[in-house]
Amino acid sequence: MKLLLFSDKSNDCCATHLIDGDGAFNAEGVDKFMKEVKLAECGLSYAVVAIMGPQSSGKSTLLNHLFGTNFREMDAFKGRSQTTKGIWMAHCVGIEPCTLVMDLEGTDGRERGEDDTAFEKQSALFALAVSDIVLINMWCHDIGREQAANKPLLKTVFQVMMRLFSPRKTTLMFVIRDKTRTPLENLEPVLREDIQKIWDSVPKPEAHRETPLSEFFNVQVVALSSFEEKEEQFREQVASLRQRFFHSIAPGGLAGDRRGVVPASGFSFSAEHIWKVIKENKDLDLPAHKVMVATVRCEEIANEKFSSFIANEEWRQLEETVETKPVPGFGKKLSSILDVCLSEYDAEATYFDEGVRSSKRKQLEEKLLQLVQPAYQFMLGHIRSGTMDKFKEAFDSALNEGKGFAAAARDCTEYFMSHFDEASAGAVIEQANWDSSKVRDKLRRDIDAHIATVRAAKLSELTAMYEKMLNEALSGPVEALFDGAGNDTWPAIKKLLRQETEKAVTGFSSALSGFEMDEAAKNNMLSRLEDYARGIVVAKAKEEAGKVLMRMKDRFSTLFSHDSDSMPRVWTGKEDIRAITKTARSASLKLLSVMAAIRLDDHTDNIESTLSLALLESQAAASTNRSISADPLASSSWDEVPSSKTLLTPVQCKSLWRQFKIETEYSVTQAISAQEASKRNNNWLPPPWAIVALIILGFNEFMTLLRNPLYLGFIFVGYLLVKALWVQLDISAEFRNGALPGILSISTKFLPTIMSLLRKLAEEGQKHANDDPQHNHPLPARSSQSGTNDYNSSSASSEVTSSENGNEYSNSHYKAQ
């Protein structure tokens, strides 16, 4: 449909074809018209005036002079023909409040023909539904006539009025045109009487059968002179009538009844819907229509405000920022943006039905809150995570400063939960009634979980520290006590264990006091620490029990190979190897008995006596045909010793002792061999009987020596030579390992030794010759050096041989160990 729009720039008047001659509603033109006159900004401060009347009765002329419009007027020189088709609407110029005027197509026109009555009723009903003031243009000479043209018009008006359910009171202003000399005072009663007759004759619904005309209409009558004959007087009367339209919506004004008025922003939609209902020939329920218009318009306004909120730059920036980090003053900022949006809705929807307006406002508020809720949750998440991080830092700092664990946890928890409450209060959105308790509960659970984790770590660290202290205090000393195992080994271990355990338990108990644990849990931890200390000793005992054979051999070797002064033994033949062996084995057996069982309690046992009886004493006294059943070690357990405290069973002890004897037997054998060899080496003198025989048989030679003292000199010199050779050759050492090895060794060293002695004698002679220069001749230095070197070589060879022979036993002795 083509939009017809007239605009007068001089008087700011614009008009639009509201409904064309075919009954089509010009929605696009009306929307443009509303924007031109800024009707939406008027709210309820506007009035609508419509004019009805017969065709060519001067309606458009009256409106143009009365309201300053520019409706198309009939050209009298071209004949009386239809100029206004359908319904036109224009903005009145210079009248407050904003006034819209509708020029309806004239009734009783020849152009429309049979359809005139239908369109007449439709346009009349439309005018009554949307207008506050209805002007009925009629000729003065028609008043009082039964069949005048105004009667069908009035009947039409009254009949369609019955189709409006609960209508508002409309002002009917009868404009009498071309007034004659008859005074208005005389014309008005006749007109009112005719109007009443028509009202009474019109069929009415049962509910309004007795309803007076005044309930529906405020009837006004004015008269105007002829425009063609008395133009000046006409203009003056029109100007006077125009003043009555100023402030028409004020109480008592022409449009003072504002019941059911549609807000200006909904006028276009309301008018279009009313015309649609009229075209469909339905009864028009104005209250329901008012609610419908309010519903549609409020929803449109709500959608517009929701879209504007989404496009709001401040909101978009706030939403984008809060996704990554907390926003200071988040609650106030977002509440302000929401408040502006809702306030704008309230401002635009304030004139619509209150129930609908409130319902749509609530829906808008719910949509907005649903939109911003993720941002609110992001903000709470940032507050929760930030509070949690600060809690961890403060909690660790308090613990590092030495504050008690429970006190630090309690104080930090209270402080930062209060901090969260304050921060979350700052994020509260005024329009929402959201509860942050779930986030608060999650924060509390996270704090409690962190405290539990740190508590477990601290207790574990504390326990590990005291366990390490116990390990250091017990492992080394216990091992040393087992190394020197004796009768007082286990008592010493028990004393050490008690002292170190009491010391650790006291320190641990003091350290646990800061955790404010209940007594049962604290006692349980202290008991575990005591068990750990005992476990260290038990583990060390088991470890040493696994090395008992090596310990026994070491102890046997130490006692067997060293004397009371811890000096290595030299088996000269005077030592009692049997007694030494028995003593060393007894000490080793003592070690075995100590390592056989754990003795941390006060119970006594007979392990030592059983082992001694079975392994030492019984070997000498027991018969060889002793039965196995009588063997006290033929068992897997000790008497009065539970299996949990057994380290070595009787059978294991017997097996270890057997292996011990086998591995130490060689040392004993080597000692015995060394003793026998020493004895043989020390008996180089002839037997006593041989010495007596030599004295008896050599008596004659002895007497000869006495008679010739010179022989004694030669014998003395020979003795000195032999003594020198004896010392140089170390005869006793050479023959210590046997006669044949001694002879062979002496034979290799005899000649070098003789040469060394002669060289020494030569050197002594040379020394005396040097004292007498006349008789001394110098010997070559090379001979002297050669002799000295030969002597030294011979001496060194003798010492090496002696050392080798002497070490042969020593090496074999240590190998036996």
Side-chain angles (χ1 to χ4, degrees):
M1 181 183 65
K2 185 176 180 181
L3 173 66
L4 300 176
L5 181 65
F6 298 92
S7 179
D8 186 354
K9 298 297 180 180
S10 62
N11 56 16
D12 195 26
C13 172
C14 55
T16 186
H17 206 171
L18 184 63
I19 298 173
D20 64 9
D22 297 327
F25 190 89
N26 184 12
E28 182 180 355
V30 174
D31 290 339
K32 188 172 183 180
F33 171 80
M34 290 179 63
K35 292 179 181 178
E36 288 285 338
V37 300
K38 299 180 180 179
L39 183 62
E41 300 176 3
C42 296
L44 297 179
S45 298
Y46 76 103
V48 180
V49 179
I51 189 168
M52 301 179 188
Q55 178 179 309
S56 303
S57 62
K59 300 187 302 297
S60 300
T61 301
L62 176 61
L63 294 178
N64 290 339
H65 286 81
L66 183 61
F67 298 112
T69 56
N70 54 4
F71 289 120
R72 184 179 177 186
E73 300 176 4
M74 181 190 72
D75 189 351
F77 296 100
K78 292 183 179 181
R80 303 181 65 84
S81 61
Q82 187 181 46
T83 55
T84 301
K85 295 182 180 181
I87 300 174
W88 285 79
M89 184 172 66
H91 175 230
C92 299
V93 178
I95 295 180
E96 292 294 336
C98 177
T99 302
L100 305 180
V101 62
M102 293 190 300
D103 187 10
L104 275 64
E105 179 180 318
T107 61
D108 196 21
R110 63 180 178 83
E111 287 83 1
R112 192 169 288 274
E114 294 180 357
D115 293 335
D116 178 66
T117 303
F119 188 80
E120 175 185 330
K121 291 182 178 180
Q122 291 173 351
S123 60
L125 181 58
F126 178 79
L128 288 173
V130 301
S131 301
D132 301 291
I133 305 168
V134 177
L135 303 178
I136 298 178
N137 196 51
M138 61 186 303
W139 300 111
C140 181
H141 55 263
D142 287 337
I143 298 175
R145 294 180 181 179
E146 186 66 25
Q147 301 297 327
N150 60 333
K151 283 190 176 182
L153 177 61
L154 289 176
K155 287 182 180 180
T156 300
V157 171
F158 293 154
Q159 286 175 357
V160 298
M161 195 67 184
M162 296 298 102
R163 296 177 60 184
L164 298 178
F165 294 168
S166 302
R168 57 179 173 166
K169 194 172 183 179
T170 306
T171 298
L172 284 181
M173 180 175 284
F174 289 87
V175 181
I176 301 174
R177 303 291 300 275
D178 295 350
K179 176 181 171 298
T180 62
R181 294 181 179 180
T182 305
L184 181 61
E185 291 79 4
N186 296 332
L187 293 174
E188 184 174 352
V190 177
L191 179 60
R192 288 184 180 273
E193 183 179 355
D194 291 341
I195 293 171
Q196 187 63 46
K197 287 181 181 180
I198 297 171
W199 173 257
D200 294 337
S201 65
V202 171
K204 304 179 186 67
E206 189 66 28
H208 296 289
R209 189 174 299 275
E210 301 298 331
T211 304
L213 177 65
S214 59
E215 290 293 326
F216 287 89
F217 297 104
N218 176 25
V219 178
Q220 302 258 344
V221 180
V222 295
L224 298 176
S225 300
S226 173
F227 173 71
E228 294 180 356
E229 296 177 359
K230 300 177 182 180
E231 183 176 353
E232 287 296 328
Q233 191 176 359
F234 174 82
R235 292 181 181 275
E236 291 175 1
Q237 293 170 348
V238 168
S240 177
L241 178 62
R242 176 183 172 89
Q243 295 301 317
R244 299 179 64 181
F245 287 91
F246 280 87
H247 308 293
S248 58
I249 64 174
L254 291 177
D257 186 1
R258 309 301 289 166
R259 292 176 299 169
V261 64
V262 176
S265 61
F267 178 81
S268 173
F269 174 79
S270 176
E272 182 179 8
H273 185 266
I274 288 174
W275 181 249
K276 180 180 179 183
V277 172
I278 292 173
K279 288 283 288 183
E280 292 173 356
N281 198 25
K282 296 179 181 179
D283 290 337
L284 183 61
D285 187 352
L286 290 182
H289 172 74
K290 175 184 176 183
V291 172
M292 184 273 298
V293 173
T295 301
V296 174
R297 278 299 300 144
C298 288
E299 187 169 350
E300 289 178 353
I301 295 171
N303 291 336
E304 290 174 3
K305 299 310 169 187
F306 184 76
S307 299
S308 66
F309 181 87
I310 293 176
N312 186 288
E313 186 63 29
E314 187 177 0
W315 152 246
R316 293 173 63 180
Q317 185 176 0
L318 189 66
E319 181 185 27
E320 182 179 354
T321 304
V322 80
E323 289 180 359
T324 56
K325 62 181 180 180
V327 178
F330 173 84
K332 291 183 178 180
K333 292 179 179 179
L334 188 52
S335 298
S336 176
I337 300 173
L338 288 171
D339 186 61
V340 169
C341 180
L342 294 174
S343 297
E344 290 177 352
Y345 169 85
D346 292 338
E348 293 190 26
T350 186
Y351 302 112
F352 290 99
D353 181 80
E354 182 178 359
V356 176
R357 180 177 73 242
S358 299
S359 175
K360 294 301 178 180
R361 187 186 195 279
K362 185 177 181 181
Q363 293 178 10
L364 173 62
E365 189 174 356
E366 289 176 354
K367 286 179 65 177
L368 290 173
L369 293 179
Q370 186 177 4
L371 176 66
V372 303
Q373 189 173 22
Y376 174 73
Q377 294 297 331
F378 273 120
M379 187 62 191
L380 285 185
H382 290 312
I383 294 174
R384 181 188 61 80
S385 59
T387 303
M388 188 64 193
D389 293 340
K390 292 178 181 177
F391 168 82
K392 291 179 179 179
E393 182 179 352
F395 186 47
D396 291 342
S397 178
L399 293 179
N400 293 334
E401 291 174 359
K403 192 173 184 179
F405 185 90
R410 182 170 54 252
D411 294 344
C412 290
T413 300
E414 292 178 358
Y415 176 80
F416 283 100
M417 289 306 297
S418 175
H419 175 75
F420 172 82
D421 292 339
E422 294 177 2
S424 59
V428 168
I429 298 173
E430 297 175 0
Q431 293 79 5
N433 190 23
W434 291 329
D435 186 8
S436 62
S437 60
K438 291 184 178 179
V439 180
R440 189 181 193 277
D441 293 342
K442 187 177 188 309
L443 173 63
R444 185 57 186 263
R445 291 195 300 270
D446 292 344
I447 288 177
D448 292 342
H450 179 72
I451 291 174
T453 301
V454 175
R455 184 177 186 273
K458 290 293 182 182
L459 289 176
S460 177
E461 180 182 344
L462 198 61
T463 302
M465 181 180 73
Y466 278 93
E467 287 178 352
K468 182 180 179 182
M469 290 172 56
L470 282 173
N471 201 19
E472 294 176 352
L474 292 175
S475 293
V478 169
E479 183 176 356
L481 289 172
F482 280 132
D483 188 28
N487 292 329
D488 60 344
T489 297
W490 282 109
I493 291 176
K494 286 194 292 184
K495 182 179 179 182
L496 176 66
L497 175 62
R498 184 175 62 256
Q499 291 176 347
E500 295 299 333
T501 302
E502 289 177 355
K503 180 180 177 182
V505 167
T506 301
F508 193 47
S509 177
S510 177
L512 290 178
S513 62
F515 289 86
E516 297 181 8
M517 303 170 63
D518 58 275
E519 288 299 321
K522 183 177 180 180
N523 292 336
N524 186 31
M525 294 192 70
L526 295 177
S527 177
R528 287 204 300 268
L529 185 64
E530 293 175 353
D531 293 341
Y532 179 80
R534 185 183 181 94
I536 293 175
V537 175
V538 172
K540 184 58 66 174
K542 291 180 179 180
E543 180 184 346
E544 293 299 319
K547 300 186 292 185
V548 67
L549 179 60
M550 182 183 68
R551 296 284 191 189
M552 291 169 63
K553 291 191 296 181
D554 289 344
R555 177 168 291 194
F556 177 84
S557 176
T558 300
L559 295 177
F560 186 77
S561 302
H562 295 77
D563 56 19
S564 59
D565 296 329
S566 298
M567 298 297 293
R569 293 185 187 274
V570 179
W571 304 103
T572 62
K574 299 177 181 179
E575 297 81 12
D576 187 354
I577 294 180
R578 183 180 296 277
I580 294 172
T581 301
K582 185 176 181 180
T583 301
R585 286 180 175 174
S586 298
S588 299
L589 187 64
K590 170 66 72 174
L591 176 61
L592 182 63
S593 66
V594 169
M595 299 304 304
I598 299 172
R599 300 177 180 88
L600 293 176
D601 300 323
D602 296 332
H603 301 292
T604 58
D605 58 67
N606 57 358
I607 294 177
E608 184 177 357
S609 59
T610 302
L611 289 176
S612 179
L613 179 64
L615 301 179
L616 288 180
E617 299 177 6
S618 62
Q619 294 179 1
S623 59
T624 58
N625 58 354
R626 184 179 179 181
S627 62
I628 297 177
S629 60
D631 187 357
L633 299 182
S635 174
S636 61
S637 61
W638 301 101
D639 295 339
E640 301 179 357
V641 178
S643 59
S644 61
K645 297 181 180 180
T646 301
L647 296 175
L648 299 172
T649 63
V651 174
Q652 290 174 330
C653 289
K654 186 175 182 179
S655 176
L656 288 169
W657 185 256
R658 184 184 300 111
Q659 187 175 356
F660 165 74
K661 286 184 62 178
I662 292 173
E663 295 186 9
T664 57
E665 194 69 33
Y666 180 74
S667 297
V668 178
T669 303
Q670 288 294 316
I672 294 173
S673 299
Q675 242 186 9
E676 292 177 353
S678 178
K679 289 179 180 179
R680 288 195 302 271
N681 293 335
N682 290 333
N683 291 335
W684 56 273
L685 291 176
W689 61 267
I691 296 175
V692 174
L694 286 174
I695 293 173
I696 295 172
L697 295 176
F699 181 76
N700 294 330
E701 287 77 7
F702 180 70
M703 293 304 294
T704 303
L705 291 175
L706 292 176
R707 294 188 186 100
N708 297 290
L710 186 58
Y711 289 144
L712 293 174
F714 285 110
I715 292 173
F716 180 73
V717 172
Y719 169 75
L720 292 177
L721 291 174
V722 172
K723 181 65 175 175
L725 288 174
W726 184 276
V727 173
Q728 291 293 328
L729 295 175
D730 195 7
I731 300 299
S732 61
E734 296 294 343
F735 281 92
R736 187 176 298 167
N737 296 322
L740 182 59
I743 293 171
L744 292 176
S745 178
I746 290 171
S747 64
T748 58
K749 297 191 296 181
F750 183 76
L751 184 58
T753 303
I754 294 295
M755 295 302 294
S756 177
L757 290 175
L758 292 176
R759 219 176 278 114
K760 284 187 176 183
L761 291 174
E763 290 175 357
E764 289 295 329
Q766 183 67 27
K767 182 178 180 181
H768 290 295
N770 290 336
D771 292 339
D772 188 1
Q774 294 180 356
H775 299 284
N776 289 339
H777 299 281
L779 293 175
R782 181 176 182 181
S783 298
S784 174
Q785 293 176 356
S786 175
T788 302
N789 291 337
D790 291 342
Y791 174 77
N792 291 336
S793 175
S794 175
S795 175
S797 175
S798 175
E799 290 175 1
V800 170
T801 303
S802 175
S803 176
E804 289 176 352
N805 293 333
N807 290 337
E808 183 177 349
Y809 164 72
S810 180
N811 291 337
S812 64
H813 168 68
Y814 285 110
K815 288 179 181 178
Q817 293 182 28

